[in-house]
Amino acid sequence: EWTPDTGFQNAKLITSAPLNNGGILIAQPAQILVAWGAATPQDIGVDTDPLTYTWSDQLDYAYWTAGAINPSTNLLSQAGSNRIPTGSKIVAGLTVAQQVLLWTDLDLWAVSYIGQPETGLIFGQNKIGGACGAVSAHSVGQLGNTVAWMGRSNFFQFSGSGVTTIPCTVWDVVFQDLDTDNLSKVRCCPNTPFNEMMWEFPSLSGGTGENDTYVKWNMVENKVGINHFAICY
């Protein structure tokens, strides 16, 4: 955590939060900090479950104890944890509208705030897409009301009509040249003024293991194109 009025230039560790996790986001409008792929303390050390997501108490990112009275508010804590039942790990997370989206390597799940600490029902989860997992933590992006991401063998989008595949006329150029050993480096770059979504990815032909190619999707024209760019160090 870091705030301008602390007097310190560096951020400090929230020691009560999971020490290891895949990523964090804020669940709106509940204002709860969610850590996915989170580690949990055990009697013999720390257990990391890549399919688990853990969250803090509402409006208190420093309190992560479930089922207890938060001494700061004197209210029953809304902190807790849950587990995605499919896939091998949570790959990415994104807050959209009134819910949190969590991608595993296989599927897409929606996590919605319920807010019933007395019953233990803080978040509910629902699978909204199968065989459409994301390739990296930064391979997902939002443009307007549409969420788009790169999977291992296709591009996908999620809007009011559910999860659909994005037609890609350069599919073979992208996915047959994709360096699958470095998928974690794939980056999604929304370009709002031009209604475009761009993905930077490492190619086998480049051979560097770094992002050396990008592909663009124009949402209005629904066209996908590809090009190369130089990496600056």
PDB file of all heavy atoms in Angstrom, residues 25-58:
ATOM      1  N   LEU A  25      -7.273  -7.205  -7.691  1.00  0.00           N
ATOM      2  CA  LEU A  25      -8.181  -6.242  -8.299  1.00  0.00           C
ATOM      3  C   LEU A  25      -9.171  -5.791  -7.243  1.00  0.00           C
ATOM      4  O   LEU A  25      -9.253  -6.374  -6.157  1.00  0.00           O
ATOM      5  CB  LEU A  25      -8.892  -6.851  -9.508  1.00  0.00           C
ATOM      6  CG  LEU A  25      -9.562  -8.219  -9.348  1.00  0.00           C
ATOM      7  CD1 LEU A  25     -10.958  -8.099  -8.747  1.00  0.00           C
ATOM      8  CD2 LEU A  25      -9.642  -8.930 -10.680  1.00  0.00           C
ATOM      9  N   ILE A  26      -9.911  -4.745  -7.539  1.00  0.00           N
ATOM     10  CA  ILE A  26     -10.922  -4.229  -6.613  1.00  0.00           C
ATOM     11  C   ILE A  26     -12.301  -4.578  -7.148  1.00  0.00           C
ATOM     12  O   ILE A  26     -12.653  -4.214  -8.275  1.00  0.00           O
ATOM     13  CB  ILE A  26     -10.795  -2.713  -6.426  1.00  0.00           C
ATOM     14  CG1 ILE A  26      -9.426  -2.364  -5.834  1.00  0.00           C
ATOM     15  CG2 ILE A  26     -11.902  -2.180  -5.517  1.00  0.00           C
ATOM     16  CD1 ILE A  26      -9.158  -0.883  -5.729  1.00  0.00           C
ATOM     17  N   ALA A  27     -13.084  -5.292  -6.354  1.00  0.00           N
ATOM     18  CA  ALA A  27     -14.449  -5.648  -6.734  1.00  0.00           C
ATOM     19  C   ALA A  27     -15.356  -4.454  -6.458  1.00  0.00           C
ATOM     20  O   ALA A  27     -15.479  -4.003  -5.328  1.00  0.00           O
ATOM     21  CB  ALA A  27     -14.920  -6.864  -5.942  1.00  0.00           C
ATOM     22  N   GLN A  28     -15.966  -3.941  -7.513  1.00  0.00           N
ATOM     23  CA  GLN A  28     -16.884  -2.816  -7.403  1.00  0.00           C
ATOM     24  C   GLN A  28     -18.316  -3.312  -7.608  1.00  0.00           C
ATOM     25  O   GLN A  28     -18.542  -4.268  -8.350  1.00  0.00           O
ATOM     26  CB  GLN A  28     -16.547  -1.749  -8.455  1.00  0.00           C
ATOM     27  CG  GLN A  28     -15.187  -1.127  -8.304  1.00  0.00           C
ATOM     28  CD  GLN A  28     -15.089  -0.197  -7.109  1.00  0.00           C
ATOM     29  OE1 GLN A  28     -16.029  -0.043  -6.341  1.00  0.00           O
ATOM     30  NE2 GLN A  28     -13.944   0.445  -6.966  1.00  0.00           N
ATOM     31  N   PRO A  29     -19.288  -2.686  -6.942  1.00  0.00           N
ATOM     32  CA  PRO A  29     -19.193  -1.496  -6.090  1.00  0.00           C
ATOM     33  C   PRO A  29     -18.910  -1.791  -4.624  1.00  0.00           C
ATOM     34  O   PRO A  29     -18.968  -0.893  -3.784  1.00  0.00           O
ATOM     35  CB  PRO A  29     -20.579  -0.874  -6.254  1.00  0.00           C
ATOM     36  CG  PRO A  29     -21.473  -2.056  -6.398  1.00  0.00           C
ATOM     37  CD  PRO A  29     -20.686  -3.080  -7.176  1.00  0.00           C
ATOM     38  N   ALA A  30     -18.620  -3.064  -4.293  1.00  0.00           N
ATOM     39  CA  ALA A  30     -18.424  -3.452  -2.900  1.00  0.00           C
ATOM     40  C   ALA A  30     -17.165  -2.867  -2.294  1.00  0.00           C
ATOM     41  O   ALA A  30     -17.039  -2.778  -1.077  1.00  0.00           O
ATOM     42  CB  ALA A  30     -18.388  -4.972  -2.785  1.00  0.00           C
ATOM     43  N   GLN A  31     -16.195  -2.481  -3.132  1.00  0.00           N
ATOM     44  CA  GLN A  31     -14.911  -1.953  -2.679  1.00  0.00           C
ATOM     45  C   GLN A  31     -14.189  -2.949  -1.772  1.00  0.00           C
ATOM     46  O   GLN A  31     -13.850  -2.671  -0.626  1.00  0.00           O
ATOM     47  CB  GLN A  31     -15.094  -0.602  -1.975  1.00  0.00           C
ATOM     48  CG  GLN A  31     -15.681   0.468  -2.891  1.00  0.00           C
ATOM     49  CD  GLN A  31     -15.690   1.842  -2.262  1.00  0.00           C
ATOM     50  OE1 GLN A  31     -14.658   2.298  -1.768  1.00  0.00           O
ATOM     51  NE2 GLN A  31     -16.844   2.489  -2.266  1.00  0.00           N
ATOM     52  N   ILE A  32     -14.007  -4.130  -2.329  1.00  0.00           N
ATOM     53  CA  ILE A  32     -13.307  -5.228  -1.662  1.00  0.00           C
ATOM     54  C   ILE A  32     -12.099  -5.616  -2.510  1.00  0.00           C
ATOM     55  O   ILE A  32     -12.205  -5.761  -3.725  1.00  0.00           O
ATOM     56  CB  ILE A  32     -14.238  -6.445  -1.471  1.00  0.00           C
ATOM     57  CG1 ILE A  32     -15.338  -6.114  -0.461  1.00  0.00           C
ATOM     58  CG2 ILE A  32     -13.459  -7.674  -1.024  1.00  0.00           C
ATOM     59  CD1 ILE A  32     -16.366  -7.221  -0.278  1.00  0.00           C
ATOM     60  N   LEU A  33     -10.956  -5.782  -1.869  1.00  0.00           N
ATOM     61  CA  LEU A  33      -9.743  -6.176  -2.569  1.00  0.00           C
ATOM     62  C   LEU A  33      -9.745  -7.692  -2.762  1.00  0.00           C
ATOM     63  O   LEU A  33      -9.910  -8.445  -1.795  1.00  0.00           O
ATOM     64  CB  LEU A  33      -8.510  -5.743  -1.778  1.00  0.00           C
ATOM     65  CG  LEU A  33      -7.160  -5.830  -2.502  1.00  0.00           C
ATOM     66  CD1 LEU A  33      -7.129  -4.896  -3.698  1.00  0.00           C
ATOM     67  CD2 LEU A  33      -6.023  -5.499  -1.536  1.00  0.00           C
ATOM     68  N   VAL A  34      -9.580  -8.133  -4.010  1.00  0.00           N
ATOM     69  CA  VAL A  34      -9.604  -9.563  -4.339  1.00  0.00           C
ATOM     70  C   VAL A  34      -8.233  -9.970  -4.859  1.00  0.00           C
ATOM     71  O   VAL A  34      -7.696  -9.348  -5.779  1.00  0.00           O
ATOM     72  CB  VAL A  34     -10.678  -9.872  -5.394  1.00  0.00           C
ATOM     73  CG1 VAL A  34     -10.658 -11.355  -5.753  1.00  0.00           C
ATOM     74  CG2 VAL A  34     -12.060  -9.464  -4.885  1.00  0.00           C
ATOM     75  N   ALA A  35      -7.667 -11.008  -4.270  1.00  0.00           N
ATOM     76  CA  ALA A  35      -6.385 -11.572  -4.716  1.00  0.00           C
ATOM     77  C   ALA A  35      -6.650 -12.954  -5.289  1.00  0.00           C
ATOM     78  O   ALA A  35      -7.218 -13.814  -4.604  1.00  0.00           O
ATOM     79  CB  ALA A  35      -5.399 -11.659  -3.553  1.00  0.00           C
ATOM     80  N   TRP A  36      -6.261 -13.160  -6.558  1.00  0.00           N
ATOM     81  CA  TRP A  36      -6.503 -14.472  -7.156  1.00  0.00           C
ATOM     82  C   TRP A  36      -5.210 -15.268  -7.276  1.00  0.00           C
ATOM     83  O   TRP A  36      -4.129 -14.714  -7.332  1.00  0.00           O
ATOM     84  CB  TRP A  36      -7.188 -14.340  -8.514  1.00  0.00           C
ATOM     85  CG  TRP A  36      -6.598 -13.354  -9.476  1.00  0.00           C
ATOM     86  CD1 TRP A  36      -6.987 -12.064  -9.657  1.00  0.00           C
ATOM     87  CD2 TRP A  36      -5.532 -13.573 -10.408  1.00  0.00           C
ATOM     88  NE1 TRP A  36      -6.232 -11.460 -10.644  1.00  0.00           N
ATOM     89  CE2 TRP A  36      -5.336 -12.366 -11.125  1.00  0.00           C
ATOM     90  CE3 TRP A  36      -4.734 -14.669 -10.726  1.00  0.00           C
ATOM     91  CZ2 TRP A  36      -4.368 -12.230 -12.120  1.00  0.00           C
ATOM     92  CZ3 TRP A  36      -3.771 -14.546 -11.718  1.00  0.00           C
ATOM     93  CH2 TRP A  36      -3.609 -13.336 -12.398  1.00  0.00           C
ATOM     94  N   GLY A  37      -5.370 -16.596  -7.274  1.00  0.00           N
ATOM     95  CA  GLY A  37      -4.207 -17.474  -7.202  1.00  0.00           C
ATOM     96  C   GLY A  37      -3.494 -17.270  -5.884  1.00  0.00           C
ATOM     97  O   GLY A  37      -2.261 -17.285  -5.816  1.00  0.00           O
ATOM     98  N   ALA A  38      -4.275 -17.092  -4.802  1.00  0.00           N
ATOM     99  CA  ALA A  38      -3.726 -16.628  -3.531  1.00  0.00           C
ATOM    100  C   ALA A  38      -3.206 -17.763  -2.657  1.00  0.00           C
ATOM    101  O   ALA A  38      -3.751 -18.864  -2.650  1.00  0.00           O
ATOM    102  CB  ALA A  38      -4.782 -15.842  -2.766  1.00  0.00           C
ATOM    103  N   ALA A  39      -2.154 -17.469  -1.920  1.00  0.00           N
ATOM    104  CA  ALA A  39      -1.594 -18.401  -0.953  1.00  0.00           C
ATOM    105  C   ALA A  39      -2.297 -18.233   0.385  1.00  0.00           C
ATOM    106  O   ALA A  39      -2.690 -17.133   0.764  1.00  0.00           O
ATOM    107  CB  ALA A  39      -0.096 -18.162  -0.789  1.00  0.00           C
ATOM    108  N   THR A  40      -2.472 -19.336   1.109  1.00  0.00           N
ATOM    109  CA  THR A  40      -3.113 -19.301   2.423  1.00  0.00           C
ATOM    110  C   THR A  40      -2.192 -19.915   3.465  1.00  0.00           C
ATOM    111  O   THR A  40      -1.547 -20.939   3.216  1.00  0.00           O
ATOM    112  CB  THR A  40      -4.440 -20.077   2.394  1.00  0.00           C
ATOM    113  OG1 THR A  40      -4.192 -21.414   1.925  1.00  0.00           O
ATOM    114  CG2 THR A  40      -5.437 -19.406   1.461  1.00  0.00           C
ATOM    115  N   PRO A  41      -2.097 -19.313   4.667  1.00  0.00           N
ATOM    116  CA  PRO A  41      -1.236 -19.863   5.723  1.00  0.00           C
ATOM    117  C   PRO A  41      -1.728 -21.235   6.196  1.00  0.00           C
ATOM    118  O   PRO A  41      -2.926 -21.464   6.339  1.00  0.00           O
ATOM    119  CB  PRO A  41      -1.345 -18.823   6.841  1.00  0.00           C
ATOM    120  CG  PRO A  41      -1.875 -17.588   6.182  1.00  0.00           C
ATOM    121  CD  PRO A  41      -2.742 -18.060   5.059  1.00  0.00           C
ATOM    122  N   GLN A  42      -0.792 -22.135   6.426  1.00  0.00           N
ATOM    123  CA  GLN A  42      -1.100 -23.455   6.959  1.00  0.00           C
ATOM    124  C   GLN A  42      -0.198 -23.714   8.164  1.00  0.00           C
ATOM    125  O   GLN A  42       0.734 -22.962   8.434  1.00  0.00           O
ATOM    126  CB  GLN A  42      -0.887 -24.539   5.883  1.00  0.00           C
ATOM    127  CG  GLN A  42      -1.706 -24.346   4.621  1.00  0.00           C
ATOM    128  CD  GLN A  42      -3.186 -24.540   4.835  1.00  0.00           C
ATOM    129  OE1 GLN A  42      -3.594 -25.209   5.770  1.00  0.00           O
ATOM    130  NE2 GLN A  42      -4.006 -23.937   3.969  1.00  0.00           N
ATOM    131  N   ASP A  43      -0.505 -24.808   8.888  1.00  0.00           N
ATOM    132  CA  ASP A  43       0.282 -25.120  10.079  1.00  0.00           C
ATOM    133  C   ASP A  43       1.740 -25.394   9.745  1.00  0.00           C
ATOM    134  O   ASP A  43       2.632 -25.192  10.565  1.00  0.00           O
ATOM    135  CB  ASP A  43      -0.320 -26.328  10.795  1.00  0.00           C
ATOM    136  CG  ASP A  43      -1.698 -26.031  11.378  1.00  0.00           C
ATOM    137  OD1 ASP A  43      -1.988 -24.838  11.592  1.00  0.00           O
ATOM    138  OD2 ASP A  43      -2.470 -26.982  11.588  1.00  0.00           O
ATOM    139  N   ILE A  44       1.993 -25.874   8.530  1.00  0.00           N
ATOM    140  CA  ILE A  44       3.364 -26.235   8.165  1.00  0.00           C
ATOM    141  C   ILE A  44       4.009 -25.216   7.240  1.00  0.00           C
ATOM    142  O   ILE A  44       5.089 -25.443   6.715  1.00  0.00           O
ATOM    143  CB  ILE A  44       3.398 -27.622   7.494  1.00  0.00           C
ATOM    144  CG1 ILE A  44       2.501 -27.632   6.251  1.00  0.00           C
ATOM    145  CG2 ILE A  44       2.976 -28.708   8.465  1.00  0.00           C
ATOM    146  CD1 ILE A  44       2.594 -28.914   5.439  1.00  0.00           C
ATOM    147  N   GLY A  45       3.327 -24.085   6.997  1.00  0.00           N
ATOM    148  CA  GLY A  45       3.881 -23.066   6.112  1.00  0.00           C
ATOM    149  C   GLY A  45       2.790 -22.386   5.317  1.00  0.00           C
ATOM    150  O   GLY A  45       1.741 -22.052   5.859  1.00  0.00           O
ATOM    151  N   VAL A  46       3.016 -22.232   4.038  1.00  0.00           N
ATOM    152  CA  VAL A  46       2.069 -21.551   3.165  1.00  0.00           C
ATOM    153  C   VAL A  46       1.697 -22.474   2.016  1.00  0.00           C
ATOM    154  O   VAL A  46       2.554 -23.080   1.388  1.00  0.00           O
ATOM    155  CB  VAL A  46       2.669 -20.234   2.619  1.00  0.00           C
ATOM    156  CG1 VAL A  46       1.722 -19.607   1.595  1.00  0.00           C
ATOM    157  CG2 VAL A  46       2.927 -19.264   3.751  1.00  0.00           C
ATOM    158  N   ASP A  47       0.402 -22.597   1.796  1.00  0.00           N
ATOM    159  CA  ASP A  47      -0.105 -23.429   0.720  1.00  0.00           C
ATOM    160  C   ASP A  47      -0.620 -22.540  -0.399  1.00  0.00           C
ATOM    161  O   ASP A  47      -1.459 -21.672  -0.167  1.00  0.00           O
ATOM    162  CB  ASP A  47      -1.221 -24.338   1.239  1.00  0.00           C
ATOM    163  CG  ASP A  47      -1.833 -25.181   0.132  1.00  0.00           C
ATOM    164  OD1 ASP A  47      -1.067 -25.630  -0.729  1.00  0.00           O
ATOM    165  OD2 ASP A  47      -3.062 -25.384   0.137  1.00  0.00           O
ATOM    166  N   THR A  48      -0.122 -22.733  -1.609  1.00  0.00           N
ATOM    167  CA  THR A  48      -0.545 -21.929  -2.753  1.00  0.00           C
ATOM    168  C   THR A  48      -1.456 -22.759  -3.641  1.00  0.00           C
ATOM    169  O   THR A  48      -1.043 -23.789  -4.173  1.00  0.00           O
ATOM    170  CB  THR A  48       0.669 -21.446  -3.569  1.00  0.00           C
ATOM    171  OG1 THR A  48       1.520 -20.666  -2.730  1.00  0.00           O
ATOM    172  CG2 THR A  48       0.215 -20.584  -4.733  1.00  0.00           C
ATOM    173  N   ASP A  49      -2.699 -22.302  -3.792  1.00  0.00           N
ATOM    174  CA  ASP A  49      -3.647 -22.962  -4.675  1.00  0.00           C
ATOM    175  C   ASP A  49      -3.933 -22.018  -5.831  1.00  0.00           C
ATOM    176  O   ASP A  49      -4.574 -20.986  -5.649  1.00  0.00           O
ATOM    177  CB  ASP A  49      -4.944 -23.282  -3.920  1.00  0.00           C
ATOM    178  CG  ASP A  49      -5.929 -24.067  -4.773  1.00  0.00           C
ATOM    179  OD1 ASP A  49      -5.717 -24.156  -5.996  1.00  0.00           O
ATOM    180  OD2 ASP A  49      -6.915 -24.587  -4.225  1.00  0.00           O
ATOM    181  N   PRO A  50      -3.468 -22.341  -7.025  1.00  0.00           N
ATOM    182  CA  PRO A  50      -3.627 -21.418  -8.154  1.00  0.00           C
ATOM    183  C   PRO A  50      -5.063 -21.226  -8.604  1.00  0.00           C
ATOM    184  O   PRO A  50      -5.335 -20.357  -9.428  1.00  0.00           O
ATOM    185  CB  PRO A  50      -2.779 -22.062  -9.257  1.00  0.00           C
ATOM    186  CG  PRO A  50      -2.686 -23.497  -8.888  1.00  0.00           C
ATOM    187  CD  PRO A  50      -2.713 -23.552  -7.397  1.00  0.00           C
ATOM    188  N   LEU A  51      -6.015 -22.011  -8.070  1.00  0.00           N
ATOM    189  CA  LEU A  51      -7.421 -21.852  -8.415  1.00  0.00           C
ATOM    190  C   LEU A  51      -8.222 -21.117  -7.333  1.00  0.00           C
ATOM    191  O   LEU A  51      -9.428 -20.946  -7.471  1.00  0.00           O
ATOM    192  CB  LEU A  51      -8.058 -23.220  -8.678  1.00  0.00           C
ATOM    193  CG  LEU A  51      -7.715 -23.877 -10.022  1.00  0.00           C
ATOM    194  CD1 LEU A  51      -8.235 -25.306 -10.063  1.00  0.00           C
ATOM    195  CD2 LEU A  51      -8.283 -23.070 -11.184  1.00  0.00           C
ATOM    196  N   THR A  52      -7.555 -20.682  -6.287  1.00  0.00           N
ATOM    197  CA  THR A  52      -8.230 -20.014  -5.184  1.00  0.00           C
ATOM    198  C   THR A  52      -8.155 -18.495  -5.332  1.00  0.00           C
ATOM    199  O   THR A  52      -7.141 -17.957  -5.755  1.00  0.00           O
ATOM    200  CB  THR A  52      -7.589 -20.412  -3.836  1.00  0.00           C
ATOM    201  OG1 THR A  52      -7.808 -21.802  -3.618  1.00  0.00           O
ATOM    202  CG2 THR A  52      -8.195 -19.632  -2.677  1.00  0.00           C
ATOM    203  N   TYR A  53      -9.237 -17.812  -4.995  1.00  0.00           N
ATOM    204  CA  TYR A  53      -9.214 -16.359  -4.878  1.00  0.00           C
ATOM    205  C   TYR A  53      -9.690 -15.975  -3.476  1.00  0.00           C
ATOM    206  O   TYR A  53     -10.596 -16.571  -2.919  1.00  0.00           O
ATOM    207  CB  TYR A  53     -10.052 -15.678  -5.963  1.00  0.00           C
ATOM    208  CG  TYR A  53     -11.510 -16.054  -6.013  1.00  0.00           C
ATOM    209  CD1 TYR A  53     -12.485 -15.260  -5.402  1.00  0.00           C
ATOM    210  CD2 TYR A  53     -11.932 -17.190  -6.692  1.00  0.00           C
ATOM    211  CE1 TYR A  53     -13.826 -15.604  -5.467  1.00  0.00           C
ATOM    212  CE2 TYR A  53     -13.264 -17.531  -6.768  1.00  0.00           C
ATOM    213  CZ  TYR A  53     -14.217 -16.733  -6.151  1.00  0.00           C
ATOM    214  OH  TYR A  53     -15.557 -17.077  -6.212  1.00  0.00           O
ATOM    215  N   THR A  54      -9.020 -15.008  -2.897  1.00  0.00           N
ATOM    216  CA  THR A  54      -9.252 -14.580  -1.523  1.00  0.00           C
ATOM    217  C   THR A  54      -9.560 -13.090  -1.518  1.00  0.00           C
ATOM    218  O   THR A  54      -9.019 -12.340  -2.328  1.00  0.00           O
ATOM    219  CB  THR A  54      -8.013 -14.867  -0.656  1.00  0.00           C
ATOM    220  OG1 THR A  54      -7.715 -16.267  -0.721  1.00  0.00           O
ATOM    221  CG2 THR A  54      -8.246 -14.477   0.794  1.00  0.00           C
ATOM    222  N   TRP A  55     -10.417 -12.648  -0.599  1.00  0.00           N
ATOM    223  CA  TRP A  55     -10.768 -11.232  -0.574  1.00  0.00           C
ATOM    224  C   TRP A  55     -10.742 -10.663   0.847  1.00  0.00           C
ATOM    225  O   TRP A  55     -10.869 -11.387   1.826  1.00  0.00           O
ATOM    226  CB  TRP A  55     -12.135 -10.992  -1.205  1.00  0.00           C
ATOM    227  CG  TRP A  55     -13.276 -11.726  -0.554  1.00  0.00           C
ATOM    228  CD1 TRP A  55     -14.034 -11.303   0.507  1.00  0.00           C
ATOM    229  CD2 TRP A  55     -13.778 -13.016  -0.915  1.00  0.00           C
ATOM    230  NE1 TRP A  55     -14.980 -12.245   0.819  1.00  0.00           N
ATOM    231  CE2 TRP A  55     -14.852 -13.299  -0.043  1.00  0.00           C
ATOM    232  CE3 TRP A  55     -13.444 -13.948  -1.891  1.00  0.00           C
ATOM    233  CZ2 TRP A  55     -15.583 -14.482  -0.115  1.00  0.00           C
ATOM    234  CZ3 TRP A  55     -14.173 -15.123  -1.963  1.00  0.00           C
ATOM    235  CH2 TRP A  55     -15.222 -15.377  -1.101  1.00  0.00           C
ATOM    236  N   SER A  56     -10.561  -9.362   0.912  1.00  0.00           N
ATOM    237  CA  SER A  56     -10.485  -8.653   2.182  1.00  0.00           C
ATOM    238  C   SER A  56     -11.881  -8.276   2.673  1.00  0.00           C
ATOM    239  O   SER A  56     -12.886  -8.494   1.976  1.00  0.00           O
ATOM    240  CB  SER A  56      -9.655  -7.384   2.024  1.00  0.00           C
ATOM    241  OG  SER A  56     -10.368  -6.439   1.215  1.00  0.00           O
ATOM    242  N   ASP A  57     -11.937  -7.679   3.840  1.00  0.00           N
ATOM    243  CA  ASP A  57     -13.200  -7.135   4.342  1.00  0.00           C
ATOM    244  C   ASP A  57     -13.596  -5.917   3.504  1.00  0.00           C
ATOM    245  O   ASP A  57     -12.743  -5.267   2.882  1.00  0.00           O
ATOM    246  CB  ASP A  57     -13.040  -6.736   5.803  1.00  0.00           C
ATOM    247  CG  ASP A  57     -14.383  -6.476   6.490  1.00  0.00           C
ATOM    248  OD1 ASP A  57     -15.433  -6.750   5.872  1.00  0.00           O
ATOM    249  OD2 ASP A  57     -14.374  -5.992   7.634  1.00  0.00           O
ATOM    250  N   GLN A  58     -14.864  -5.623   3.500  1.00  0.00           N
ATOM    251  CA  GLN A  58     -15.349  -4.476   2.731  1.00  0.00           C
ATOM    252  C   GLN A  58     -14.797  -3.170   3.308  1.00  0.00           C
ATOM    253  O   GLN A  58     -14.817  -2.947   4.522  1.00  0.00           O
ATOM    254  CB  GLN A  58     -16.871  -4.429   2.747  1.00  0.00           C
ATOM    255  CG  GLN A  58     -17.479  -3.376   1.822  1.00  0.00           C
ATOM    256  CD  GLN A  58     -18.987  -3.448   1.789  1.00  0.00           C
ATOM    257  OE1 GLN A  58     -19.620  -3.783   2.789  1.00  0.00           O
ATOM    258  NE2 GLN A  58     -19.570  -3.149   0.644  1.00  0.00           N
TER     259      GLN A  58
END
